Amino acid sequence: MGDVIQGRVIEGDYRTPHNGFQQAPGSIHNDEVASKLGFKGGTVPGSVHMDQFAPMLVETYGADWFAGGNMSLHFTQATVDREEVRAVMEVAEPRSRLTMFNREGAQICVGTAGAATRDPVSELSRRMTAQAQAAPGALRILAGYAVGDTAADIPMRIEREALDKALGRITERLPLYDEGSSPPLTSCGWPISAAPRFWPR
């Protein structure tokens, strides 16, 4: 990975991420479900917003960031289909600061990213350290996981049709997604937003 220029601020252009999961039944990405929960509409997945940081991360840390870097985001406000947002990266070592804002200036997310595979002081690590432990049985989404769980050596595959669909949704299409020139972790040219489909279930 290349030299990191301390203190540099990289601002992306305003983008209009698409919520391609509007038809998912029972999902917060669906207008009907989201509105019942108090949102103004079906929410754009956070992983889709992560794609907006990819050009900045590659510019700062090189394409090897995909294989050995980290990103940690805390979302503070949900967005809806085609809502304009801008990604901003304040470059620093050992971690850079990531933020995203909508056109009105409201913060969408805040976080960190760096070249190291793990960052014990990443945005979410820091927040989790300060958080009280959940009572047994209180977790729903993460109920099947425990602190210290790991996943390794899981074969991954994405069908070309699914990859093309994912590439059609993203706002920042890097050449390495099309050329297959990325490091081993993304040898099929996967955008960041395609990663959740490979999480252990």
Side-chain angles (χ1 to χ4, degrees):
M1 298 191 185
D3 294 333
V4 174
I5 301 173
Q6 295 281 107
R8 188 165 60 110
V9 176
I10 307 172
E11 291 189 351
D13 294 326
Y14 279 102
R15 300 294 192 202
T16 54
H18 173 51
N19 176 12
F21 304 90
Q22 184 63 248
Q23 305 308 315
S27 167
I28 196 169
H29 308 305
N30 175 289
D31 278 341
E32 184 180 348
V33 173
S35 61
K36 287 178 183 175
L37 295 171
F39 294 98
K40 55 189 174 182
T43 62
V44 173
S47 58
V48 172
H49 287 311
M50 290 178 179
D51 286 321
Q52 285 183 249
F53 292 104
M56 302 171 186
L57 295 167
V58 170
E59 178 183 334
T60 303
Y61 301 114
D64 287 345
W65 175 86
F66 278 96
N70 72 79
M71 180 194 303
S72 178
L73 294 179
H74 172 71
F75 285 86
T76 53
Q77 180 173 310
T79 64
V80 294
D81 189 51
R82 309 293 183 191
E83 182 176 345
E84 289 186 296
V85 289
R86 166 184 273 176
V88 179
M89 179 175 176
E90 298 172 52
V91 179
E93 280 290 0
R95 70 193 56 80
S96 295
R97 194 78 180 145
L98 306 179
T99 49
M100 182 175 282
F101 302 92
N102 65 13
R103 184 66 83 167
E104 290 72 40
Q107 180 180 280
I108 304 305
C109 67
V110 60
T112 55
T117 302
R118 294 188 180 180
D119 180 0
V121 195
S122 71
E123 184 69 28
L124 293 184
S125 294
R126 186 178 55 77
R127 287 176 180 272
M128 288 174 68
T129 300
Q131 193 174 45
Q133 188 167 346
L139 295 178
R140 293 183 300 159
I141 295 174
L142 301 176
Y145 297 93
V147 174
D149 282 354
T150 60
D153 300 323
I154 300 171
M156 296 187 288
R157 176 181 171 163
I158 185 168
E159 300 295 335
R160 184 76 233 182
E161 183 181 346
L163 176 59
D164 288 341
K165 209 173 197 178
L167 290 173
R169 274 193 300 267
I170 65 174
T171 58
E172 308 293 336
R173 189 163 181 153
L174 299 176
L176 61 85
Y177 297 152
D178 296 304
E179 297 167 3
S181 60
S182 43
L185 183 62
T186 55
S187 58
C188 293
W190 300 333
I192 298 168
S193 58
R197 71 181 64 240
F198 303 115
W199 291 347
R201 303 283 179 192

